[in-house]
Amino acid sequence: MKIKKGDEKGMDDQKQLVQIKDLFSQWKRLLSVLLGAIVISWGCTKIYPVYSERILNLHLPKTELHIELLRFVIFLPLWALVCSFFAFGFTKVGDWLHCHRFYVGAGVIVSAVVLNISGSSLGIWNFWLGEDGTQDLVFGVPRSIRSDEYAVGTPLAFAQSYNDYGYFNALFGNKPADMFIIKDAPVWFPTEVFRPFHWGYLLLGNSAGLAFYWNARLVVLFLAAYQFFLCIGDNKKQGGASRLLAVLGAVLITFAPLTQWWFAVNGLPEMLIAVFVSICCFDCMLHRQESWIRLLCCAIVMQCAGMFILTLYPAWQIPMGYVLVGLIIAIICRYWGKIHFKRVQIVGLGILLIVFAALMGIALNESLNTIQSEMNTSYPGSRVSTGGGRSFFLLFSSLATFCLPFKEFFASTMLVGNNVEVAAFIDLCPLGILFAVSNMVRRRKIDFLDCYFILFIVFLSVFGTTGFPAWLSKLTFMSLVPSGRTTVAIGICNIILLVRCAKEWCENHSATYKIIVAGLYAVLSVGAARLAFHPYLGNLLTIICLLVGIILVCAVVLQGQTINKLVIPGTIFAIVFSGMSINPIQYSTRPLTDQPTINQIRTLQNEDPGVWITEGDNSAFLANLLVANGIKTFNTVAVTPDIQGMKRIDPNGKWQSVYNRYAFIGMNIVDKPAKQLFTLVSPDAYTINLTPEQLRKLSVNYVLSSNDLDKKNFDGYRFVRIGKTISGKTPFELCTLK
């Protein structure tokens, strides 16, 4: 039957009309999403100060307009995403985000850099110097306990801008400090290619560099973890993990209490990114045959290897190295019998390996003395661990760490430490192990990776709770791993097992059985948390942990159920909310770079340069504030000990065991030689009690002190005020009496 031209035109008109209606409907939904997000975001912006005071115990004075606008701008895309789920459907929005995830991630990073926001606790400098501690604080609470970040890592990175980002920085005491191999500071050096998150400092400067450093690591870690879980997938089929489980796994790692409390210290995000990205690229390299793809993947793997090595924290690197070995073997087993490389590919891989070795070699050659010095220190060089001392209940009580951002931790019946030390991954241990064992029993087939991770979890658990003989610790390289540092690898393995095995386990059990398992696990896990964290975990927090545990386990076990489309977003919101509450969102870097005290010293230093020390209250930390602003300071954190320099005041090396360490250095000025010249405060901190004569031997010219040094008598010396007392700190010049 032939269709007349008039009928064809009519059908085309109808199609166009339908398309116009669909387009109009889409724009109508977008408009409703935007309006809804604007209204909710503005409401949240207005009530946030109440939340801050009631929940975070931080009173916010009258907020400046630019901070309110920042809060609104940050809330807007988050609520737009939530509203879009209702307007367009969970599946459609999820598919769009999956397809455009790299563009979205890049957009988040660029936006954060443009807005000049970071997660640094720089506001603590204001608290210490009597200024407004909430200056430019957008969300959250500055964490005083994260001194390794705001008082070491960030100041050292900023100090590099006054050093033209050189390999060694002469602003640190009398011995130029190695800024590349020990501390995580940006350096213009070929091997810096392995530290891509420093590139923001090198290209954009301090403030934008700090924003890039924080936000790029967060976004890349999430995307890398998501891609990793899609790659290792369901253990029944290669790359078969559901997107929802992959998202959940990425959230459990990226926004975990442990990840966020340690986010800017010891390179944990870089280490995890290196593992996840290298495994994805290794899998792609074996799967694809094109030469350019294989060489590109190999180059990325090499870049990740350099990133992993240069985190330089063996306490985490060794356990994560075991995890990496298991994953590599599993990928090789996946493609065994199909692995073939062309001659040109082998040559290309060889060239990349030579380039990698050369880049690492030049850094090793440049820092050889630094490495030898660090290995011979009293701390951490001589530290040897045999494990033991961890409570068995800590393996099953990670739900309690969900509450750490909202209530300061104090010693419990089984735990001593602080929020940072007790933080963990919320890994639902031992559900992943039980799922893996159940699946293998049902299939009557062993899965290598599942077995490897189960045995490794047992290995680490025994080491952490019972300990190894010294010879076994050294043989397995665990002698460099304190018991508490096993938490990272245990949590990662548990989450991998959970994501790999949950889907298959759920397909073979009824909904009723799964709900019973969810409820039973939540009760037992919270019971273990109550035992381990009591009395920190009171009745209210116990109930909160129970509710979080129930929805989290339901999100894992209710695979294929319609209700899971509501449970998983709720779970993700809870975990992200807790994780993002750990570090603040800070606008600008003014608390570090625009202190009235520092502005005065910077002027004095420009007029008559010299070497400074900080003396009195918080002197060990304040020294780093000076060097962050380009002021040469003797008692900045000792990245490596200056043994030769200290011989000026300790010629016989009597106190060498005290100062031969990585340490914060406090200073006290006394009127006569002290019997206790050096006082060890903690493994990474000591105080020096010096006379003016000893200060002269150390080539010190100026002192920033919290004491009235000009009112004290010193034999042959005096201190002259050269500026105003600001925030309780006064600058003095050390002078000789004529």
Side-chain angles (χ1 to χ4, degrees):
M1 181 179 178
K2 294 183 178 180
I3 299 176
K4 297 180 180 179
K5 291 183 178 180
D7 294 336
E8 289 180 352
K9 185 177 180 180
M11 292 173 65
D12 290 339
D13 290 341
Q14 288 181 352
K15 288 181 180 179
Q16 290 179 358
L17 184 62
V18 170
Q19 289 175 352
I20 292 172
K21 288 182 177 180
D22 287 342
L23 184 61
F24 178 76
S25 176
Q26 294 285 349
W27 279 104
K28 186 177 179 182
R29 292 181 186 181
L30 280 173
L31 183 61
S32 66
V33 166
L34 182 59
L35 290 176
I38 289 173
V39 171
I40 299 173
S41 299
W42 189 247
C44 290
T45 301
K46 289 300 182 182
I47 67 173
Y48 177 75
V50 178
Y51 164 82
S52 178
E53 187 163 357
R54 298 285 179 84
I55 305 300
L56 301 179
N57 297 317
L58 180 66
H59 174 70
L60 298 176
K62 186 176 180 180
T63 306
E64 297 180 21
L65 179 61
H66 71 281
I67 297 299
E68 276 202 337
L69 289 175
L70 268 176
R71 288 176 186 153
F72 174 76
V73 169
I74 293 171
F75 273 131
L76 187 61
L78 300 177
W79 282 113
L81 177 62
V82 173
C83 292
S84 67
F85 286 135
F86 292 96
F88 297 98
F90 187 86
T91 302
K92 189 172 183 178
V93 174
D95 289 343
W96 187 90
L97 288 173
H98 172 77
C99 294
H100 298 85
R101 60 191 182 278
F102 298 115
Y103 299 108
V104 173
V108 170
I109 295 171
V110 171
S111 299
V113 172
V114 171
L115 294 175
N116 197 15
I117 56 175
S118 71
S120 175
S121 292
L122 292 177
I124 295 298
W125 290 112
N126 282 333
F127 281 114
W128 281 356
L129 294 172
E131 305 291 332
D132 178 13
T134 63
Q135 179 191 37
D136 292 335
L137 182 65
V138 184
F139 291 112
V141 180
R143 301 291 180 178
S144 60
I145 198 171
R146 282 293 63 193
S147 57
D148 281 347
E149 180 270 313
Y150 64 83
V152 181
T154 302
L156 265 61
F158 277 44
Q160 281 292 82
S161 65
Y162 299 93
N163 183 48
D164 295 326
Y165 298 101
Y167 202 98
F168 294 92
N169 194 322
L171 295 175
F172 292 73
N174 292 318
K175 176 187 176 183
D178 188 324
M179 304 304 292
F180 182 82
I181 205 70
I182 301 298
K183 295 309 297 181
D184 189 22
V187 174
W188 276 117
F189 194 72
T191 315
E192 190 75 347
V193 69
F194 298 126
R195 287 173 167 167
F197 302 110
H198 288 173
W199 299 349
Y201 284 111
L202 299 173
L203 300 175
L204 304 173
N206 283 339
S207 191
L210 183 65
F212 178 82
Y213 178 75
W214 274 87
N215 295 284
R217 291 155 78 242
L218 183 72
V219 171
V220 174
L221 176 57
F222 178 83
L223 293 175
Y226 175 71
Q227 196 67 36
F228 169 77
F229 286 121
L230 290 179
C231 175
I232 64 165
D234 186 340
N235 56 17
K236 288 197 305 178
K237 47 188 177 181
Q238 300 172 7
S242 71
R243 291 177 187 173
L244 282 176
L245 274 177
V247 169
L248 185 59
V251 167
L252 288 174
I253 287 176
T254 306
F255 300 98
L258 191 150
T259 303
Q260 291 300 316
W261 281 108
W262 288 93
F263 196 73
V265 182
N266 296 335
L268 179 59
E270 286 88 341
M271 195 180 300
L272 296 176
I273 290 169
V275 171
F276 297 151
V277 173
S278 62
I279 290 301
C280 292
C281 289
F282 185 59
D283 177 85
C284 181
M285 185 172 68
L286 297 185
H287 177 67
R288 300 288 292 270
Q289 302 298 318
E290 300 93 327
S291 295
W292 72 272
I293 289 181
R294 285 191 159 178
L295 293 178
L296 176 61
C297 288
C298 181
I300 297 174
V301 169
M302 294 294 181
Q303 203 273 348
C304 290
M307 187 190 302
F308 185 89
I309 293 169
L310 291 175
T311 55
L312 296 170
Y313 191 62
W316 282 337
Q317 285 175 299
I318 290 170
M320 285 304 297
Y322 279 104
V323 174
L324 188 58
V325 167
L327 290 167
I328 291 172
I329 295 173
I331 297 297
I332 292 174
C333 291
R334 173 183 289 184
Y335 295 101
W336 190 253
K338 304 176 184 178
I339 303 174
H340 301 287
F341 285 87
K342 300 175 184 177
R343 182 176 298 177
V344 66
Q345 295 171 354
I346 295 174
V347 172
L349 296 179
I351 293 173
L352 288 173
L353 186 59
I354 292 171
V355 172
F356 171 80
L359 289 172
M360 297 301 294
I362 59 174
L364 177 63
N365 179 68
E366 197 77 14
S367 293
L368 186 59
N369 292 334
T370 305
I371 295 170
Q372 291 174 342
S373 175
E374 187 73 9
M375 292 176 65
N376 293 320
T377 57
S378 302
Y379 174 89
S382 62
R383 183 171 59 185
V384 177
S385 172
T386 57
R390 298 276 290 173
S391 171
F392 179 73
F393 289 101
L394 288 180
L395 298 171
F396 314 104
S397 57
S398 61
L399 280 173
T401 63
F402 176 88
C403 305
L404 292 175
F406 313 107
K407 182 180 179 181
E408 199 72 21
F409 178 79
F410 53 83
S412 66
T413 54
M414 297 182 183
L415 292 170
V416 177
N418 51 48
N419 296 51
V420 180
E421 293 297 330
V422 301
F425 288 98
I426 302 177
D427 56 9
L428 301 186
C429 180
L431 272 190
I433 297 174
L434 296 177
F435 290 167
V437 172
S438 175
N439 292 343
M440 286 188 286
V441 169
R442 186 191 58 80
R443 283 188 269 114
R444 297 181 181 178
K445 183 180 179 181
I446 299 295
D447 181 272
F448 165 77
L449 192 56
D450 291 348
C451 289
Y452 181 90
F453 281 149
I454 292 171
L455 293 174
F456 186 55
I457 291 170
V458 173
F459 170 83
L460 290 180
S461 300
V462 172
F463 175 81
T465 57
T466 305
F468 288 171
W471 66 267
L472 184 57
S473 291
K474 292 180 180 179
L475 182 65
T476 57
F477 303 103
M478 296 299 288
S479 59
L480 298 173
V481 184
S483 300
R485 298 298 180 260
T486 60
T487 309
V488 170
I490 290 176
I492 294 294
C493 290
N494 276 317
I495 293 173
I496 291 175
L497 287 174
L498 198 67
V499 173
R500 275 175 57 82
C501 303
K503 185 177 179 182
E504 181 183 351
W505 183 87
C506 291
E507 290 173 351
N508 294 282
H509 293 87
S510 66
T512 303
Y513 182 75
K514 289 185 281 189
I515 292 174
I516 292 173
V517 168
L520 184 62
Y521 172 81
V523 170
L524 293 176
S525 180
V526 171
R530 179 85 175 199
L531 285 172
F533 283 81
H534 183 76
Y536 167 78
L537 204 65
N539 293 333
L540 177 60
L541 293 185
T542 300
I543 293 172
I544 292 174
C545 288
L546 180 62
L547 294 175
V548 171
I550 290 174
I551 64 169
L552 181 53
V553 181
C554 285
V556 173
V557 302
L558 294 180
Q559 296 296 306
Q561 306 293 320
T562 304
I563 192 174
N564 210 31
K565 292 184 178 181
L566 296 176
V567 174
I568 283 189
T571 303
I572 291 173
F573 172 81
I575 300 300
V576 172
F577 178 74
S578 174
M580 291 301 291
S581 297
I582 292 171
N583 294 303
I585 295 181
Q586 174 75 35
Y587 169 71
S588 83
T589 58
R590 287 198 298 168
L592 182 66
T593 59
D594 194 25
Q595 291 288 349
T597 304
I598 294 300
N599 292 338
Q600 176 177 241
I601 294 177
R602 191 185 290 117
T603 301
L604 294 170
Q605 181 74 353
N606 290 336
E607 292 174 354
D608 189 9
V611 179
W612 288 74
I613 66 164
T614 53
E615 191 264 351
D617 299 337
N618 293 322
S619 58
F621 289 153
L622 287 171
N624 296 337
L625 179 61
L626 267 63
V627 82
N629 289 275
I631 299 162
K632 186 175 177 62
T633 311
F634 174 79
N635 61 314
T636 52
V637 62
V639 176
T640 53
D642 182 10
I643 302 297
Q644 293 301 317
M646 288 300 185
K647 284 185 177 181
R648 301 178 189 179
I649 56 175
D650 182 34
N652 299 321
K654 177 182 178 181
W655 305 98
Q656 185 168 323
S657 62
V658 176
Y659 56 77
N660 183 25
R661 65 185 65 236
Y662 167 91
F664 294 92
I665 306 174
M667 303 288 282
N668 289 321
I669 295 177
V670 294
D671 56 358
K672 57 184 178 180
K675 293 181 179 180
Q676 192 78 15
L677 182 58
F678 290 84
T679 303
L680 187 63
V681 178
S682 67
D684 63 349
Y686 62 83
T687 301
I688 314 178
N689 302 298
L690 293 174
T691 63
E693 183 180 0
Q694 290 169 322
L695 284 178
R696 275 290 189 225
K697 292 180 180 179
L698 296 174
S699 304
V700 172
N701 308 101
Y702 304 106
V703 179
L704 179 66
S705 177
S706 58
N707 300 309
D708 294 327
L709 297 179
D710 57 337
K711 296 180 180 179
K712 296 182 179 182
N713 295 319
F714 299 96
D715 187 16
Y717 296 89
R718 65 191 179 98
F719 290 93
V720 178
R721 288 177 183 254
I722 55 175
K724 299 178 181 178
T725 299
I726 303 175
S727 301
K729 312 297 178 185
T730 309
F732 296 93
E733 182 179 3
L734 175 60
C735 299
T736 305
L737 290 175
K738 295 181 180 179

